[in-house]
Amino acid sequence: MRAEILRLPIKVAGFEVFKGHLDVSAQVEALEELRDVARIAPMRHPITRFGKQMSVRMTSAGRLGWISDARGYRYESRHPDGMAWPAIPAGILSLWRDITGLERLPDCCLINFYGEGARMGLHQDNDEGDFSYPVVSISLGDDGLFRMGGTERGGKTQSLWLNSGDVVVMDGEARLAYHGVDRIRFGSSSLLPDGGRINVTLRVVADLD
Ligand code: SIN
Ligand code: MN
């Protein structure tokens, strides 16, 4: 996957934002790879442990996938339908290497799809058991209004529109910072023919027994 590796990130509330990191051909390539994942491990509309359906649909690739159901949030080695998660696509892994420079590869590639009206409330990524590695987040398709806070719930937040091809890194002070997506501009990008936004997050997950 081709990427602009010379562009420096901007820092917003400790989050590193690489605007326009993926050019259009790299975005199309990533999308194809993600479609292959979703063909094997279909996107689902998860429910929370409170029985509420999330507005995003999601699936995963990698050794572990992130799921939410009546038992709560966690990582599992199988899709809720029973199949193993597909491998993390090669282009997505090379983006992880370009951005982080790490030898250690992510265990989970969580793929979120935001259709019209979908959003994601403020939350921390804190189910991984090891917070010493960054979380890398890739935006594809429609614009999304990304809200970034600190490590305390209810603290001050800043917002930024993420566009297709942007990459955000949550590391250091931002690794456990609250974040969420208030809304998308449905139909603002032509990357997905039927509209919508895809966000991919790459995470290292500790083995928790
Ligand atoms: C997430 O926090 O899992 C998704 C963030 C985003 O959609 O940009
Ligand atoms: Mn998150």
Side-chain angles (χ1 to χ4, degrees), residues 123 125 179 203:
H123 65 277
D125 287 4
H179 59 279
R203 296 114 179 256

Side-chain angles (χ1 to χ4, degrees), residues 160-207:
L160 179 78
W161 281 99
L162 294 179
N163 312 110
S164 196
D166 291 353
V167 173
V168 177
V169 177
M170 295 180 268
D171 196 12
E173 56 180 321
R175 175 60 186 81
L176 284 169
Y178 279 86
H179 59 279
V181 174
D182 289 348
R183 59 194 160 93
I184 68 163
R185 280 187 189 127
F186 187 75
S188 53
S189 160
S190 54
L191 187 72
L192 282 82
D194 296 327
R197 172 175 187 265
I198 291 177
N199 176 264
V200 171
T201 44
L202 300 168
R203 296 114 179 256
V204 169
V205 184
D207 285 311

